[in-house]
Amino acid sequence: GNSVTQMEGPVTLSEEAFLTINCTYTATGYPSLFWYVQYPGEGLQLLLKATKADDKGSNKGFEATYRKETTSFHLEKGSVQVSDSAVYFCALSDALGKSTFGDGTTLTVKP
Amino acid sequence: DSGVTQTPKHLITATGQRVTLRCSPRSGDLSVYWYQQSLDQGLQFLIQYYNGEERAKGNILERFSAQQFPDLHSELNLSSLELGDSALYFCASSVESGTYEQYFGPGTRLTVT
């Protein structure tokens, strides 16, 4: 079956540091890939997505590129802010509608 | 605000009981998904409905069932509740079934005592 493996957390960074959260996946066919973010006490929100190989998703300074050759979708941001502190989930959805989420990575950004 | 609503926000009940969680998708979305989020198991996909029909099934226990009604709202029924069923239950919706982004509701926190 499908699976998503995320970099283990928690991750603690200083403001303006560079962020990378690794994500690799296993799936048959051509899934779409997503990063979702969950702030304390809230539901998940879509951060960015990519629907085919070599697509780059981007939003609010975050980026991730769909790499089929390495089955990866790493999340990056050049300069994090305190407000980016949250839990980040990598996920995939296949053509049948089945969704698989990673375990989540908790990011804490300190001023 | 994602446009997905869930009720109730909190639910406290005893072991052995049955509860119903309700979800209204975003206007125009045909697919509804249910997830369970617990500390020890992370976010688990339970089941998906598309336009009233079951489309995909994940790690859903036999004690749990769901349905999607003609007005597209969905209900998740949990029966013979156990302490381990205590979790956050999220509903999400998407415009179609398949490789589409999902919009999540605020969740229902279920506590089984």
Side-chain angles (χ1 to χ4, degrees):
Chain A
N2 300 336
S3 68
V4 174
T5 302
Q6 264 183 256
M7 166 178 160
E8 285 190 23
V11 174
T12 303
L13 296 173
S14 297
E15 207 164 23
E16 298 185 5
F18 185 85
L19 168 71
T20 300
I21 302 178
N22 290 337
C23 171
T24 57
Y25 68 92
T26 302
T28 52
Y30 302 95
S32 286
L33 303 176
F34 307 89
W35 277 100
Y36 289 87
V37 59
Q38 185 178 28
Y39 298 101
E42 298 183 12
L44 279 71
Q45 301 174 27
L46 177 67
L47 181 59
L48 54 83
K49 67 175 184 179
T51 58
K52 60 184 187 297
D54 300 325
D55 263 3
K56 178 187 278 189
S58 61
N59 185 26
K60 299 180 183 178
F62 291 90
E63 292 183 342
T65 301
Y66 190 144
R67 300 283 187 205
K68 196 159 177 66
E69 64 276 10
T70 54
T71 62
S72 65
F73 193 55
H74 305 320
L75 182 68
E76 296 182 337
K77 186 175 186 184
S79 176
V80 293
Q81 305 301 312
V82 172
S83 58
D84 293 328
S85 298
V87 182
Y88 292 81
F89 292 90
C90 183
L92 67 84
S93 288
D94 66 19
L96 299 176
K98 197 164 181 180
S99 300
T100 305
F101 282 73
D103 290 338
T105 300
T106 301
L107 171 66
T108 302
V109 181
K110 296 191 172 179
Chain B
D1 184 355
S2 67
V4 178
T5 60
Q6 289 187 248
T7 56
K9 191 161 185 164
H10 301 279
L11 198 49
I12 301 174
T13 189
T15 54
Q17 295 298 304
R18 172 190 169 96
V19 297
T20 297
L21 312 184
R22 183 189 168 102
C23 168
S24 292
R26 289 190 322 158
S27 177
D29 283 0
L30 298 177
S31 272
V32 170
Y33 308 76
W34 286 99
Y35 295 87
Q36 179 191 59
Q37 186 177 39
S38 58
L39 283 174
D40 57 343
Q41 292 202 346
L43 191 68
Q44 298 288 317
F45 168 66
L46 296 178
I47 197 163
Q48 182 214 354
Y49 280 82
Y50 173 71
N51 206 19
E53 294 191 2
E54 182 184 305
R55 182 58 63 97
K57 214 166 186 175
N59 302 320
I60 188 165
L61 299 172
E62 284 191 14
R63 300 184 285 110
F64 296 180
S65 65
Q67 54 183 328
Q68 186 180 26
F69 295 86
D71 67 351
L72 300 178
H73 91 272
S74 178
E75 293 181 357
L76 178 67
N77 300 296
L78 315 176
S79 61
S80 304
L81 285 168
E82 302 175 0
L83 295 177
D85 297 328
S86 296
L88 261 174
Y89 291 84
F90 287 107
C91 167
S93 72
S94 66
V95 61
E96 290 278 347
S97 176
T99 58
Y100 295 89
E101 63 266 33
Q102 298 173 31
Y103 295 86
F104 281 75
T108 293
R109 181 171 292 282
L110 173 66
T111 302
V112 182
T113 62

